[in-house]
Amino acid sequence: MFARVLRVVAVGLVALFGTVAGLFIAGETFADPGGWEAVVLTAAWAVPLIALSVLAVVRPGPSSRALPIVLAVVAVWVIVDGLAHVTDRDAWGPVGAISMFAVLVPCGLLGVHRAAEAGWLLLAGSAAQLVATVAGMDRAGGQSLRSALGGSTGAIVLPFLMLAAAFLAVAAAERWTGHAHGGDQRLRHAH
């Protein structure tokens, strides 16, 4: 019972955070640069987020194979961008953090069916974003990790780390009680 309630809470928090943060990102994009450019920029992250989210909820099997690959590609990109400053953050905004956000929301929604996988994916993505932030810090300018986490990175890393812990707690509780998600349905079919 505890694992089921915790799963519902964790999935609800992923959906709530994804919606609120997504609306905030879209609102900022429409405020600056606005116009058609904002439509294109918003669609660039929102369309993959929505497609991967639907896949995660409706087709957990294929998405549990696809999401780690997509997450790995985005993680490598975010770290390379942090090291080499490929995108001009002043001109384009926090492209890496938004890209990671667009992948982590579907990873969290995979927790509807697969809590452990969701937890580990969220943990890996959060860690990659943290590594990218540390790699991209302006140490010469005196930037501290605390100030770096105060921006878009902190808004991505900290909530997703907490959600990773929640999904891993769901998985641990299910192992401890001996019931995986859907275990009740298997028991009913056995009778």
Side-chain angles (χ1 to χ4, degrees):
M1 179 68 173
F2 171 72
R4 181 175 290 164
V5 169
L6 186 56
R7 180 188 299 268
V8 169
V9 168
V11 169
L13 287 173
V14 168
L16 178 65
F17 178 68
T19 301
V20 171
L23 289 172
F24 176 79
I25 295 167
E28 288 293 310
T29 307
F30 278 90
D32 181 31
W36 284 105
E37 191 176 352
V39 171
V40 171
L41 291 172
T42 301
W45 62 264
V47 170
L49 181 146
I50 292 167
L52 289 170
S53 294
V54 169
L55 184 66
V57 172
V58 176
R59 303 285 309 241
S63 65
S64 69
R65 292 185 295 277
L67 284 172
I69 295 167
V70 173
L71 180 62
V73 169
V74 170
V76 167
W77 160 249
V78 168
I79 292 169
V80 167
D81 188 36
L83 289 168
H85 303 288
V86 177
T87 58
D88 181 3
R89 188 176 171 116
D90 292 330
W92 288 92
V95 173
I98 293 170
S99 300
M100 189 58 75
F101 167 77
V103 175
L104 288 178
V105 170
C107 288
L109 292 175
L110 182 61
V112 168
H113 303 286
R114 300 177 181 198
E117 288 179 46
W120 289 114
L121 289 171
L122 291 174
L123 186 61
S126 298
Q129 184 64 46
L130 185 59
V131 166
T133 300
V134 171
M137 282 176 36
D138 179 15
R139 290 176 196 80
Q143 184 180 23
S144 68
L145 182 59
R146 182 176 181 186
S147 68
L149 287 175
S152 57
T153 295
I156 297 299
V157 170
L158 300 176
F160 282 119
L161 279 176
M162 291 186 284
L163 289 166
F167 282 116
L168 292 173
V170 168
E174 287 176 346
R175 276 193 308 275
W176 186 68
T177 60
H179 294 98
H181 185 62
D184 295 335
Q185 293 170 340
R186 284 191 291 274
L187 289 175
R188 279 190 223 119
H189 291 296
H191 293 296

